[in-house]
Amino acid sequence: MSIRVLVADDQEIVRTGLAMILDAQPDIDVIGEAADGWRAVELARRLRPDVCLFDIRMPGIDGIQATRLLAGPTVDDPLAVVVITTFDLDEYVYAALRAGARGFLLKDAGTVLLSQAVRAAANGDALIAPSITARLLGAFAEAGPTSAPSQPIEALTDREEQILVAVARGRTNSEIAGEFHISLSTVKSHIASLMAKLGARNRVEIAMWAYETRRVKS
């Protein structure tokens, strides 16, 4: 089945370009477009796409606010959101991830990375542009979280600690399986356990917790 995507960007030429790139993929189908944040939220709630691709700077409400409304901590049935922007600013990235985004890309990321980010979000994974991942998470870890990192409801096992670090370093499930010589299903089970113990809803939140608790150094 095709991955159903909603694209929101206030610049028509950019929005059309993104839609054309994604529609050209055999497994991706753009089902809607929006030019402002409120329209994006309305369409997302009505169409329930598999992935929302949102620009940060939009009229009405911006992409971060729209993400929070659709994927934030208080949302019962969150949608998968990938944020895309021209601006490589750490505060934008961090705010988007805190709002519940499953991915963050720059508009010059290219066709391959854009498609990968959409597929990752649809599969429950997360993809952040490699150029900013470690720098971003490491910088905010050094600055210290706004509040003390939450403690896991149950102690992590040695293997879960290993998987935690691998996720924080941006490894895919396949790469983790190969590194530790375990099956993909076992990797998924460990990640599900980590999410449950940490109260994390996706891999990005697992990664942020790893950096905030100094499991990973930038």
Side-chain angles (χ1 to χ4, degrees):
M1 293 180 63
S2 292
I3 300 169
R4 301 162 63 252
V5 179
L6 169 66
V7 176
D9 193 298
D10 63 327
Q11 294 183 301
E12 183 178 4
I13 190 169
V14 174
R15 187 172 67 250
T16 301
L18 292 171
M20 288 178 63
I21 289 171
L22 294 175
D23 263 334
Q25 305 301 312
D27 58 337
I28 298 176
D29 182 21
V30 176
I31 61 168
E33 298 179 30
D36 65 77
W38 284 120
R39 177 63 172 163
V41 171
E42 186 274 324
L43 280 177
R45 286 173 170 167
R46 176 158 55 86
L47 300 176
R48 301 295 299 178
D50 299 309
V51 179
C52 300
L53 183 65
F54 288 170
D55 183 26
I56 280 189
R57 291 190 172 182
M58 293 190 288
I61 59 171
D62 64 23
I64 292 173
Q65 291 173 293
T67 298
R68 189 174 294 111
L69 290 172
L70 297 171
T74 61
V75 178
D76 291 331
D77 189 15
L79 290 170
V81 179
V82 173
V83 172
I84 185 166
T85 183
T86 306
F87 307 97
D88 182 10
L89 299 177
D90 287 348
E91 57 267 32
Y92 280 178
V93 188
Y94 197 71
L97 300 182
R98 280 299 190 201
R102 285 193 192 170
F104 190 100
L105 291 176
L106 301 178
K107 288 183 180 177
D108 62 0
T111 302
V112 173
L113 200 57
L114 175 63
S115 302
Q116 287 177 348
V118 167
R119 294 186 184 103
N123 290 329
D125 293 337
L127 188 151
I128 309 172
S131 62
I132 59 179
T133 304
R135 188 194 78 224
L136 166 77
L137 295 174
F140 276 90
E142 289 301 317
T146 54
S147 58
S150 61
Q151 294 302 308
I153 60 174
E154 183 181 338
L156 305 186
T157 66
D158 289 343
R159 178 64 86 192
E160 285 170 349
E161 289 279 2
Q162 293 172 332
I163 302 293
L164 172 74
V165 171
V167 169
R169 287 176 172 156
R171 303 290 193 272
T172 65
N173 284 357
S174 295
E175 289 170 341
I176 294 171
E179 181 179 350
F180 297 110
H181 308 290
I182 55 180
S183 68
L184 273 175
S185 61
T186 300
V187 174
K188 291 178 181 179
S189 294
H190 283 309
I191 291 175
S193 179
L194 281 169
M195 290 171 64
K197 289 182 177 182
L198 302 178
R201 298 184 307 161
N202 54 54
R203 297 166 79 96
V204 171
E205 293 184 0
I206 290 175
M208 286 195 289
W209 189 88
Y211 275 90
E212 288 176 345
T213 56
R214 305 296 195 272
R215 259 72 170 183
V216 181
K217 300 296 183 181
S218 58

